[in-house]
Amino acid sequence: MAGDSHHPERAPERAPERAAERAAVAALSDSFVAGLREWIKIPSIGVDPDHRVDVQRSAEWLADQLRADGWPEIEIWDRGPALPAVYACWPAADPGAPTVLVYGHHDVQPVDPVERWRHPPFEPVTSGDELFGRGASDDKGQVAMHLLAVKAHLAATGQNAPSVTLKLFVEGEEESGSPHLRKLLEDHAEALVCDLVVFTDTALHERDAPTVNTGQRGVLGGEITFFGGTEDVHSGRAGGAIPNPATALAKLIAALHSDDGRIALPGFYEDVREPSTQERADYAELPFDEQKWLAHNGGGAQAMAGEPGYTTLERIWVRPTAEVNGLSSGYTGPGLKTIIPASATAKISFRLVPDQLPEKVAGQLREFVAKHTPAGIRAEVDFRGEGVPPYAISPDDPANATVKEAMELAFDQPVRFARAGGSGPAAVLQAWLGVPLVYLGATLPDDRVHAPNERVVVPLLLKGAEAAAHLWRMLPERLA
């Protein structure tokens, strides 16, 4: 299942005039890193109310940086329920040029457990070519990468305005699930009109195997609770005479998957879109060592498992899942307490793939629970929000093909297509704005985002900035 890291294809030849982008990025690299370090120092933890003022400070820092870079239109959207978002626009000299919206976020994850950090999380530290600090990779590093790309593009072309009209939308709530994103999109619909979205919160497959992401899975999460009575009862006095909700729920959970690992919800697979032949071929060519992956990503698991007929990469990128995230019932303290619990709860989540809809899967789960609720048990199914839809774009889309070509110019090697197993607001952005969405990022899966000792590899960010600078030059012709 491991692919060959030495691809037979040749990387595209670099025309002499296209080397200007690389030179411009190199000339600006020191100031880029210095600015990113300053931004990382702001603890913009959006999910923590105690850091709301820091999210505001982070937005103001970004707005100040954009002004210093010469962006002519800059706004901080901080009225309403959403945490501060930053919007900027730099019109192209040609009024007929395409409009491209770059999406990112400036809020960061909490730092717990802080004792596992080798350095204070908001005091960035450089070690070799790595920069450590919360937000270095997710997502301040990649937003800053795109700011660098604009400056490099202007320097390389000698222009005083970009070749495309560029818009920047950097929200402050992504790490809490973007709860007010739809409201922001609705309130600022006119400002956000564009022809293409570039989504920058994305990663490469490996440092020496760059990829262009073509999609993300969606997610739907909730709880199933079985109620047997109103209070726990003595198992010696009632055991064998009344239903046990923990036992009943365990049977339901066991029935959630068939023996071969497929999900047993009625109609669950009828909307699942298979990846293209080209995508599966690209996945197979990517370097991948199952045992190494298991050791680094399996959380101590001892063996691989999953839906038959698919590779590990396909299972985590393009196949749907149903996972039990937690189980609780009855007495869980030390020793033994012989009871029949009054209730039992399972926390469950689904990763969804195109063209599955969260609302349809929610209905399928309700139907499944109703079928597996025995007499004497009352069931409740509650969902956490409306879920996040999946998203995918065809590798053959002209904008997507242009991103791939720009990445190949920057990385000096062939670039493959990949997917992301996690979820994000890509589908929401695409649906509301009604235009294609492509991915351009340059971080790594092992950057320890959401974990202690988050880092980013600076040379990869510089290559990502170069790729974006190429992209702004190439898009007017490709999207004409």
Side-chain angles (χ1 to χ4, degrees):
M1 296 174 67
D4 184 358
S5 60
H6 302 287
H7 303 308
E9 304 96 329
R10 293 183 61 193
E13 295 292 337
R14 174 178 297 278
E17 66 272 15
R18 295 184 180 180
E21 282 87 353
R22 179 166 297 179
V25 168
L28 295 163
S29 61
D30 289 345
S31 61
F32 161 74
V33 173
L36 178 55
R37 289 172 63 93
E38 288 300 314
W39 199 11
I40 292 171
K41 292 178 181 179
I42 302 174
S44 50
I45 305 172
V47 300
D48 186 345
D50 291 339
H51 285 277
R52 297 297 169 89
V53 65
D54 295 313
V55 180
Q56 181 73 42
R57 287 175 55 216
S58 175
E60 291 170 354
W61 185 96
L62 177 56
D64 288 343
Q65 183 63 54
L66 290 164
R67 293 186 189 98
D69 289 351
W71 287 69
E73 302 174 28
I74 303 155
E75 299 175 9
I76 296 178
W77 294 342
D78 56 2
R79 296 183 179 180
L83 293 176
V86 178
Y87 167 82
C89 178
W90 198 328
D94 178 4
T99 297
V100 182
L101 175 70
V102 177
Y103 165 87
H105 66 90
H106 67 100
D107 60 318
V108 301
Q109 278 279 325
V111 298
D112 305 280
V114 69
E115 66 273 9
R116 293 182 57 188
W117 285 78
R118 292 191 292 271
H119 308 283
F122 296 108
E123 296 179 17
V125 171
T126 299
S127 177
D129 59 9
E130 299 178 336
L131 177 62
F132 290 83
R134 177 59 89 220
S137 177
D138 184 20
D139 186 37
K140 289 178 178 177
Q142 302 211 88
V143 174
M145 176 189 81
H146 276 277
L147 269 59
L148 171 60
V150 177
K151 293 193 288 185
H153 168 63
L154 296 177
T157 59
Q159 301 170 174
N160 58 13
S163 299
V164 295
T165 291
L166 283 173
K167 295 181 178 181
L168 185 69
F169 173 44
V170 184
E171 68 158 317
E173 296 186 319
E174 194 275 343
E175 298 295 6
S176 53
S178 303
H180 302 105
L181 177 59
R182 290 176 175 84
K183 177 65 173 170
L184 282 173
L185 295 173
E186 180 180 358
D187 290 348
H188 302 282
E190 185 174 348
L192 295 171
V193 169
C194 60
D195 300 301
L196 177 71
V197 176
V198 173
F199 192 96
T200 189
D201 188 5
T202 185
L204 309 172
H205 177 65
E206 287 184 9
R207 182 168 183 164
D208 295 323
T211 49
V212 171
N213 191 18
T214 61
Q216 295 174 283
R217 292 192 291 188
V219 65
L220 174 68
E223 293 184 347
I224 304 167
T225 302
F226 273 6
F227 296 93
T230 57
E231 59 186 23
D232 298 346
V233 296
H234 193 299
S235 64
R237 296 180 178 178
I242 62 173
N244 185 316
T247 302
L249 185 62
K251 291 180 179 179
L252 180 147
I253 295 300
L256 186 59
H257 295 84
S258 63
D259 290 342
D260 66 356
R262 286 176 61 86
I263 298 160
L265 267 60
F268 184 78
Y269 289 96
E270 62 187 18
D271 296 325
V272 170
R273 186 199 313 172
E274 294 284 346
S276 69
T277 301
Q278 179 60 54
E279 286 177 295
R280 295 193 76 173
D282 273 11
Y283 305 160
E285 288 293 328
L286 289 171
F288 184 71
D289 184 310
E290 278 197 346
Q291 293 307 309
K292 181 179 178 181
W293 181 92
L294 190 64
H296 286 85
N297 300 280
Q302 301 301 301
M304 309 296 293
E307 187 180 0
Y310 295 91
T311 67
T312 298
L313 290 179
E314 290 171 342
R315 289 169 180 166
I316 60 178
W317 287 351
V318 298
R319 298 304 294 171
T321 68
E323 301 291 354
V324 178
N325 309 127
L327 289 168
S328 60
S329 181
Y331 180 70
T332 58
L336 183 64
K337 186 179 182 183
T338 54
I339 60 165
I340 297 173
S343 64
T345 299
K347 295 182 182 293
I348 189 170
S349 64
F350 297 88
R351 293 290 176 175
L352 309 178
V353 301
D355 295 298
Q356 292 182 299
L357 299 176
E359 58 270 28
K360 185 172 181 179
V361 174
Q364 293 168 348
L365 179 62
R366 292 187 186 280
E367 180 182 344
F368 179 83
V369 171
K371 179 180 178 181
H372 289 83
T373 302
I377 295 291
R378 178 174 62 86
E380 288 186 2
V381 183
D382 297 304
F383 294 98
R384 184 180 181 275
E386 58 190 35
V388 176
Y391 174 77
I393 186 169
S394 169
D396 298 325
D397 180 273
N400 211 27
T402 307
V403 172
K404 182 175 182 288
E405 184 176 345
M407 290 283 285
E408 289 177 333
L409 286 169
F411 283 82
D412 295 317
Q413 62 179 292
V415 171
R416 302 285 181 183
F417 288 116
R419 295 269 190 102
S423 305
V428 175
L429 289 164
Q430 191 277 326
W432 274 85
L433 299 174
V435 298
L437 180 147
V438 295
Y439 296 82
L440 199 167
T443 57
L444 294 173
D446 60 355
D447 278 345
R448 294 184 290 278
V449 301
H450 297 203
N453 304 307
E454 179 180 349
R455 67 91 202 259
V456 73
V457 179
V458 173
L460 292 182
L461 288 183
L462 299 180
K463 287 183 180 292
E466 181 190 337
H470 290 309
L471 183 65
W472 307 145
R473 171 178 47 78
M474 297 161 67
L475 276 178
E477 178 181 342
R478 304 303 174 83
L479 296 184

